[in-house]
Amino acid sequence: GSGNQGGGSQPSGSQGTTVQSPAENFKPEDYLSGNYPQLPADGPSVTLTIGHAMQETTDNHKTMLALKSALEQYSGGKISVTIYPNSQIGSDSEMIASCVAGDVDIVYQSGSTHNTFVPETNLFDIPFLLSGYDKDKVYDVLTNGEFRKLYNQANETSGFVLLMLRAGDSCMNFTANKSAASVADLKGLKIRTAQVENRMALWSALDANPTPMAFSELYMALQNGTVDGQENNLSNTLNSAVYDVNKYLFFTEHSSPSMEVVMNKDKFYSMPQEYQDLLTQICTEISRYDWDVSVAMDGYYFDCLTKEHGMTACEISDDFRTELKEKAAPVIEKVKATVVNDALYDTLMAELNG
């Protein structure tokens, strides 16, 4: 899978097509309306801090840079933003605790990191929650619907203002060394998972054999047959060269973790109304940019795995997906119970299926 260096001829099949990254097609400024509330001339200077655990090379960090730039520009310098990437001010769980305490204003991280404070964030850990839905539909429901109002409310009750939400853009899928078209084909399949109880429970429910191990050991374990496959998002699957040792890719979207930008509620409401409106509107616009980049990049990773590195994408038919969900029902119900907010789940489903 190293391309045709040295002028050797390519093997037949789709392997070896170089896929162009769509990243440079997206510019945050194209998403900014420029049509914002005017801040009062005598308005206060506000300093905001943002913390996250991701490296500075990531698209996620670029999204925060875009947010900083827009806020500083369109507030006429009245709002200044400092970003602390790469866990500089603590781990995800430390940062969300700091945000609750008001020591950091805004954090950007996976929603389930907040579940001690906002149990509703467990929603996005429900297996197959967003699997098989049209991406535009998912974006619309998570951003504009009744569901979003309820989810915003849940955050406010727990001391946060939710500024950005993304889920279903880049889901967990799995790869294996053999094809499968039904749940019966998964029986006994040794799948590497993270040491996370619900993830392991899901594979057990599907009659596979979940095998937790460090991500760093994965390639070797696939190579020597300790495991038959692995679950991950497409980006990690590509970056760890799984394509060398697993031939089959299953676009199951069986887990759809959320990425959320939340702000300390007291800090948010301590700002004048025009500042709140400016922040909210810019976050909504940058959120669309964030979503579009993430969905496009996920498509790009899929093309790299299949077109460039010759993996076979096994179709998840509606029947197969229904069968997976039915088999996973006990785990789905168990995670659902931890959300402690049936209205939230029911509203999401009603809007997605509406």
Side-chain angles (χ1 to χ4, degrees), residues 194-334:
Q195 185 101 37
V196 177
E197 191 193 337
N198 289 331
R199 293 219 186 132
M200 291 162 65
L202 173 63
W203 290 106
S204 298
L206 298 174
D207 293 333
N209 184 0
T211 311
M213 65 171 64
F215 189 55
S216 55
E217 295 164 26
L218 172 65
Y219 188 91
M220 192 62 85
L222 286 167
Q223 201 170 34
N224 65 27
T226 310
V227 293
D228 304 311
Q230 59 96 37
E231 61 163 5
N232 225 312
N233 61 29
L234 297 179
S235 167
N236 287 340
T237 298
L238 179 65
N239 291 335
S240 52
V242 164
Y243 48 78
D244 283 338
V245 278
N246 267 179
K247 181 86 181 121
Y248 298 96
L249 172 63
F250 299 85
F251 200 66
T252 43
E253 302 181 300
H254 60 268
S255 168
S256 49
S258 68
M259 287 300 291
E260 307 189 14
V261 176
V262 296
M263 180 167 178
N264 176 282
K265 182 175 153 183
D266 294 337
K267 175 80 177 207
F268 180 85
Y269 287 110
S270 74
M271 301 190 302
Q273 184 69 49
E274 296 90 342
Y275 289 62
Q276 295 173 29
D277 295 343
L278 178 71
L279 177 58
T280 308
Q281 193 182 331
I282 285 178
C283 281
T284 304
E285 293 168 357
I286 293 287
S287 186
R288 179 79 223 203
Y289 159 77
D290 189 44
W291 172 269
D292 285 353
V293 169
S294 189
V295 169
M297 291 306 289
D298 212 49
Y300 164 68
Y301 301 136
F302 184 83
D303 287 345
C304 288
L305 289 165
T306 53
K307 293 177 182 164
E308 200 163 313
H309 297 293
M311 288 189 86
T312 300
C314 296
E315 203 215 337
I316 308 298
S317 66
D318 291 344
D319 288 348
F320 191 6
R321 197 185 310 275
T322 302
E323 199 193 358
L324 286 164
K325 284 181 173 179
E326 282 167 3
K327 197 85 170 132
V331 187
I332 290 173
E333 290 307 315
K334 183 175 165 253

Side-chain angles (χ1 to χ4, degrees), residues 19-25 296-297 300-301 304:
V19 186
Q20 282 306 114
S21 167
E24 55 278 2
N25 302 343
M297 291 306 289
Y300 164 68
Y301 301 136
C304 288

Side-chain angles (χ1 to χ4, degrees), residues 11-252:
S12 62
S14 60
Q15 200 159 352
T17 318
T18 305
V19 186
Q20 282 306 114
S21 167
E24 55 278 2
N25 302 343
F26 298 94
K27 308 230 173 338
E29 52 274 21
D30 295 343
Y31 288 79
L32 297 168
S33 64
N35 186 17
Y36 305 114
Q38 198 61 47
L39 301 191
D42 58 351
S45 293
V46 173
T47 308
L48 297 177
T49 51
I50 300 178
H52 69 76
M54 291 151 293
Q55 292 173 333
E56 280 139 290
T57 50
T58 57
D59 289 329
N60 287 325
H61 181 64
K62 288 176 195 151
T63 294
M64 291 300 98
L65 289 173
L67 179 59
K68 167 184 163 72
S69 167
L71 285 172
E72 291 179 345
Q73 180 185 342
Y74 289 106
S75 69
K78 287 190 188 299
I79 299 176
S80 55
V81 180
T82 307
I83 306 172
Y84 298 99
N86 226 346
S87 306
Q88 281 171 18
I89 53 172
S91 65
D92 273 336
S93 52
E94 287 165 341
M95 280 188 280
I96 193 69
S98 298
C99 188
V100 173
D103 298 327
V104 59
D105 300 319
I106 296 170
V107 293
Y108 182 29
Q109 53 189 221
S110 174
S112 54
T113 317
H114 310 173
N115 64 11
T116 351
F117 305 105
V118 192
E120 286 87 349
T121 55
N122 286 326
L123 178 77
F124 294 103
D125 284 345
I126 296 175
F128 299 102
L129 181 74
L130 301 175
S131 179
Y133 288 101
D134 174 75
K135 297 287 181 202
D136 288 337
K137 178 83 170 182
V138 171
Y139 173 82
D140 193 46
V141 169
L142 293 186
T143 310
N144 304 317
E146 187 58 33
F147 164 79
R148 179 58 179 267
K149 287 189 191 123
L150 293 175
Y151 199 62
N152 284 350
Q153 231 169 308
N155 275 279
E156 293 234 2
T157 305
S158 306
F160 301 110
V161 171
L162 178 67
L163 296 173
M164 291 166 68
L165 168 66
R166 161 159 70 79
D169 51 301
S170 155
C171 299
M172 298 281 278
N173 301 293
F174 82 96
T175 64
N177 56 12
K178 61 171 223 174
S179 70
S182 69
V183 170
D185 295 336
L186 302 178
K187 195 171 176 63
L189 201 67
K190 296 192 291 287
I191 296 278
R192 182 269 169 188
T193 71
Q195 185 101 37
V196 177
E197 191 193 337
N198 289 331
R199 293 219 186 132
M200 291 162 65
L202 173 63
W203 290 106
S204 298
L206 298 174
D207 293 333
N209 184 0
T211 311
M213 65 171 64
F215 189 55
S216 55
E217 295 164 26
L218 172 65
Y219 188 91
M220 192 62 85
L222 286 167
Q223 201 170 34
N224 65 27
T226 310
V227 293
D228 304 311
Q230 59 96 37
E231 61 163 5
N232 225 312
N233 61 29
L234 297 179
S235 167
N236 287 340
T237 298
L238 179 65
N239 291 335
S240 52
V242 164
Y243 48 78
D244 283 338
V245 278
N246 267 179
K247 181 86 181 121
Y248 298 96
L249 172 63
F250 299 85
F251 200 66
T252 43

